[in-house]
Amino acid sequence: MLSPEALKKIDHAIAKYPAEQKQSAVMAALAVAQDEKGWLSPEVMQFVANYLQMPPIAVEEVATFYGMFDTAPVGKFKLTVCTNLPCALSRGDHAADYLKQKLGIDFNETTADGLFTLKEGECMGACGDAPVMLVNNKRMCSFMSDEKLDALIAELKAADRGEKA
């Protein structure tokens, strides 16, 4: 189900815990699985549960609790905009609305071309850089004005085409 490279990363995470507590690596295992598969299907969560020797429901509880995990397919670029109060007071809501209009989608929707999914996020711990957003849970973007949002979308579209922005 997962590549040998992915299993090696999961094994590295498991090694950080006592042998009888390998289930403690569940978040790391889910992150690796999602990076490889794009989202966490029921089959992928079952595989992770078996690999970590834990009940499948426990894996599903983690996957559905944390907003960084996707239990349904998402676009190639998942854009998560912080709309928590500090970001909202610093135009986070405007950034979200601007992206909704620009991409023609709402929160939890994906563009018709499968490139972008828009998500609403909770505090990302960068209130001084508001409004902030994450791209694919990995890249933090700060001070997201309309111009910076336009540039980001252009950059991601160019990356999808294998070009430089």
Side-chain angles (χ1 to χ4, degrees), residues 12-30:
H12 181 74
I14 291 170
K16 296 177 183 179
Y17 302 98
E20 69 279 1
Q21 294 177 9
K22 67 192 293 182
Q23 72 277 5
S24 297
V26 66
M27 288 186 65
L30 288 171

Side-chain angles (χ1 to χ4, degrees), residues 3-157:
S3 71
E5 295 81 18
L7 295 178
K8 186 176 179 180
K9 290 177 185 177
I10 293 172
D11 289 341
H12 181 74
I14 291 170
K16 296 177 183 179
Y17 302 98
E20 69 279 1
Q21 294 177 9
K22 67 192 293 182
Q23 72 277 5
S24 297
V26 66
M27 288 186 65
L30 288 171
V32 168
Q34 181 169 283
D35 283 348
E36 181 165 288
K37 298 294 186 180
W39 65 291
L40 299 171
S41 67
E43 296 80 17
V44 168
M45 287 188 279
Q46 178 69 51
F47 180 87
V48 168
N50 292 343
Y51 199 79
L52 296 178
Q53 299 173 332
M54 60 190 292
I57 188 65
V59 172
E60 186 175 346
E61 288 170 344
V62 172
T64 57
F65 180 79
Y66 291 99
M68 68 189 134
F69 296 123
D70 301 304
T71 57
V74 294
K76 183 173 183 177
F77 302 108
K78 182 173 74 168
L79 308 176
T80 306
V81 181
C82 181
T83 57
N84 214 345
L85 187 58
C87 276
L89 293 173
S90 297
R91 299 184 46 85
D93 289 341
H94 172 80
D97 289 340
Y98 185 80
L99 282 172
K100 289 176 185 180
Q101 180 272 324
K102 182 168 186 67
L103 299 173
I105 58 174
D106 204 341
F107 285 130
N108 301 311
E109 293 181 352
T110 300
T111 55
D113 60 7
L115 275 185
F116 298 100
T117 297
L118 188 60
K119 295 279 191 174
E120 185 173 20
E122 283 298 318
C123 183
M124 297 175 190
C127 303
D129 294 350
V132 295
M133 62 183 292
L134 290 173
V135 178
N136 292 343
N137 298 332
K138 307 277 189 233
R139 176 181 168 191
M140 173 85 63
C141 301
S142 301
F143 308 108
M144 297 309 292
S145 64
D146 294 354
E147 295 78 20
K148 288 183 84 172
L149 291 167
D150 287 340
L152 176 65
I153 296 300
E155 173 195 328
L156 296 174
K157 285 181 177 180

